[in-house]
Amino acid sequence: MKPIKISEAVVRRLPIYLRFLNELSLSNIQTVSSQDLGEKLDLNPAQIRKDLAYFGEFGRKGVGYNVDYLIEKIRQILKLDKTMNVVLVGTGNLGRALCNYSMYIKDNMKIVAVFDADPSKSGTLLNHLVVQPMQELADSVRQLDISVGIITVPASEAQKVADEFVAAGIRGILNFAPVVLKTSPGVRIHNADFTAELLSLAYYMDHHEALNEGDGER
Amino acid sequence: MKPIKISEAVVRRLPIYLRFLNELSLSNIQTVSSQDLGEKLDLNPAQIRKDLAYFGEFGRKGVGYNVDYLIEKIRQILKLDKTMNVVLVGTGNLGRALCNYSMYIKDNMKIVAVFDADPSKSGTLLNHLVVQPMQELADSVRQLDISVGIITVPASEAQKVADEFVAAGIRGILNFAPVVLKTSPGVRIHNADFTAELLSLAYYMDHHEALNEGDGER
């Protein structure tokens, strides 16, 4: 099957749908309308219907979407129906927070190894994982079939870690360091950028009145 | 002056431009072309020119953009030319990481108060700030003229904190808890969502080949 090409904006909304649908499923709610989804997620219901129509029709007029079917479908589209192993480098406060945080994610993306450049951290325990020295990175990536790397080191160290990830065969990077990383062909980098989120918030606070009728994306 | 309405996608790119321009400015580089910006930020130069043209023409053909002027202009647009005080609630690993992290931001957005619902945390020091009990939130928000609140508490507590923020007069919220918050009119909520970034990464890793010619947004 040829993969459908979906816009970035839609791909970024799918995990948000997924989270809310998971909440509904846990509460044994079996159907949901685009209206309910829109209200809860602060999105236009027409936008939601359009997003979901990308993947074939599975809403029924007057009934809504079947929650579990939609969950299954979105997971398939996001390729979350198979497990993806994740490595994290940088065991400061942020790295530690993420290791705990990762337990919220259903099993499909899982931090299975943690590394730190500081030799004094090696051998310590972090959420049941033993912190390893950087020299062991490539071996662990191969042995554990790791495809995604998370960077939680200071900005000055981030490019070095990214290069080591790429050399080890990692194809997806989630970068938390406040720096623009040089990308390599075939490697996808997402920036989880606190400051950008914070700074763009400022814009809306002053303009908010003018934007209430707007197209709030998140 | 009537504020221009700018699309979310553009507003979210501006802090990314700003970061790179700040790096250039620190290195005493005075002009930059949309080509250079595009290469470094993995964006289409035409897209960059279009984004920046929103705010009037300030690139010159064959010369490029004046770095410091562009910085000043983007800061004005994002309303970062005046200081905005920020409060953070939740002093776990993530909250602690953010308090340190915030030092990367130039003075304009500044965490000036930290709170925790756990009474045993009250009075402890976090990056030169004394952790306060929640009862003092409303007073501090008023006294320190705080307009932005950051939520770094567990998902189960996040809505309660958001409600307290809104009651205290905060109009912008950056939410790190993996839960969809109920919004109030006139209040802007941004979600800094690790899991969404991570989950959307999976999509691109399997489809990457098909997407290389695509419109990478970040």
Side-chain angles (χ1 to χ4, degrees):
Chain A
M1 197 184 84
K2 218 170 144 245
I4 339 157
K5 185 172 165 179
I6 308 169
S7 84
E8 290 244 358
V10 177
V11 171
R12 285 175 188 282
R13 279 194 289 270
L14 291 181
I16 297 164
Y17 297 147
L18 188 58
R19 163 167 316 143
F20 181 52
L21 291 165
N22 280 331
E23 284 177 23
L24 292 178
S25 178
L26 281 172
S27 312
N28 285 317
I29 294 170
Q30 275 152 24
T31 53
V32 64
S33 67
S34 55
Q35 209 69 36
D36 294 342
L37 277 167
E39 217 159 277
K40 178 72 179 174
L41 301 176
D42 200 19
L43 285 165
N44 186 318
Q47 176 70 69
I48 292 175
R49 286 193 297 272
K50 197 173 151 220
D51 285 358
L52 299 179
Y54 251 108
F55 321 118
E57 281 303 333
F58 26 78
R60 283 199 294 155
K61 259 220 163 88
V63 181
Y65 297 90
N66 179 300
V67 169
D68 288 328
Y69 183 69
L70 203 50
I71 289 173
E72 194 196 317
K73 203 77 194 170
I74 293 179
R75 290 170 78 94
Q76 273 174 18
I77 290 156
L78 289 176
K79 303 285 167 195
L80 294 170
D81 45 350
K82 58 183 180 208
T83 305
M84 224 172 239
N85 285 338
V86 177
V87 59
L88 178 143
V89 176
T91 63
N93 282 319
L94 180 59
R96 306 181 78 80
L98 283 175
C99 282
N100 295 323
Y101 202 92
S102 78
M103 296 198 282
Y104 288 113
I105 309 172
K106 294 272 177 59
D107 294 330
N108 311 60
M109 280 197 132
K110 199 172 177 181
I111 297 176
V112 296
V114 289
F115 289 80
D116 202 293
D118 176 357
S120 76
K121 298 275 185 74
S122 290
T124 61
L125 267 183
L126 178 46
N127 194 23
H128 308 298
L129 295 169
V130 178
V131 178
Q132 297 176 258
M134 291 302 285
Q135 305 89 277
E136 297 177 5
L137 180 70
D139 278 352
S140 288
V141 166
R142 190 166 26 79
Q143 278 161 23
L144 299 171
D145 190 23
I146 291 170
S147 49
V148 171
I150 299 179
I151 297 179
T152 49
V153 300
S156 56
E157 307 298 316
Q159 185 64 55
K160 190 162 170 285
V161 174
D163 294 343
E164 294 189 59
F165 275 171
V166 174
I170 282 175
R171 296 170 302 135
I173 296 175
L174 182 58
N175 172 40
F176 283 85
V179 66
V180 179
L181 296 177
K182 244 181 31 216
T183 57
S184 308
V187 176
R188 176 88 190 178
I189 300 184
H190 281 194
N191 292 297
D193 192 335
F194 307 149
T195 54
E197 283 295 335
L198 198 55
L199 297 182
S200 63
L201 197 53
Y203 172 81
Y204 289 105
M205 297 197 31
D206 258 14
H207 294 215
H208 202 275
E209 295 71 21
L211 275 154
N212 262 346
E213 81 286 6
D215 53 351
E217 242 185 44
R218 285 178 89 160
Chain B
M1 197 185 82
K2 218 171 143 249
I4 340 158
K5 183 173 165 176
I6 308 168
S7 83
E8 290 244 359
V10 176
V11 171
R12 287 176 187 279
R13 279 195 289 269
L14 290 181
I16 298 165
Y17 296 147
L18 188 58
R19 162 167 314 145
F20 181 53
L21 292 165
N22 280 331
E23 284 177 23
L24 292 177
S25 178
L26 281 171
S27 313
N28 285 317
I29 294 168
Q30 274 150 26
T31 53
V32 64
S33 66
S34 54
Q35 209 71 37
D36 294 342
L37 277 167
E39 217 160 278
K40 177 71 180 174
L41 301 176
D42 199 19
L43 286 167
N44 187 318
Q47 176 71 67
I48 292 174
R49 285 193 298 274
K50 198 174 152 223
D51 284 358
L52 299 179
Y54 252 108
F55 322 117
E57 279 304 332
F58 27 76
R60 286 201 292 153
K61 260 224 160 84
V63 180
Y65 297 90
N66 179 300
V67 170
D68 288 328
Y69 183 70
L70 204 50
I71 288 173
E72 195 196 318
K73 204 75 193 170
I74 293 178
R75 290 170 79 92
Q76 272 173 21
I77 291 158
L78 289 177
K79 305 284 167 194
L80 294 170
D81 44 352
K82 55 181 185 212
T83 305
M84 222 169 242
N85 285 338
V86 178
V87 59
L88 179 143
V89 175
T91 63
N93 282 318
L94 181 60
R96 306 183 77 81
L98 283 174
C99 282
N100 295 322
Y101 202 93
S102 80
M103 297 199 280
Y104 289 113
I105 309 172
K106 294 272 178 57
D107 294 330
N108 310 59
M109 280 197 133
K110 202 172 173 180
I111 296 175
V112 296
V114 290
F115 289 80
D116 202 294
D118 176 357
S120 75
K121 299 273 185 74
S122 289
T124 60
L125 268 182
L126 179 47
N127 195 24
H128 308 298
L129 295 170
V130 179
V131 178
Q132 297 175 259
M134 291 302 285
Q135 305 90 275
E136 297 177 7
L137 181 71
D139 279 351
S140 288
V141 165
R142 189 166 26 80
Q143 278 161 26
L144 299 170
D145 191 23
I146 291 171
S147 48
V148 172
I150 299 179
I151 296 178
T152 49
V153 300
S156 56
E157 306 298 316
Q159 185 64 55
K160 188 161 172 287
V161 174
D163 293 344
E164 294 190 55
F165 276 171
V166 173
I170 283 176
R171 296 170 302 135
I173 295 175
L174 183 58
N175 172 40
F176 283 85
V179 67
V180 179
L181 296 177
K182 244 183 25 222
T183 57
S184 308
V187 176
R188 176 90 189 176
I189 300 184
H190 280 193
N191 292 298
D193 192 335
F194 307 150
T195 53
E197 283 295 335
L198 197 54
L199 297 183
S200 64
L201 196 54
Y203 173 81
Y204 288 105
M205 298 198 30
D206 258 14
H207 295 214
H208 202 277
E209 294 70 22
L211 275 155
N212 262 345
E213 82 284 6
D215 53 351
E217 241 184 48
R218 288 177 87 158

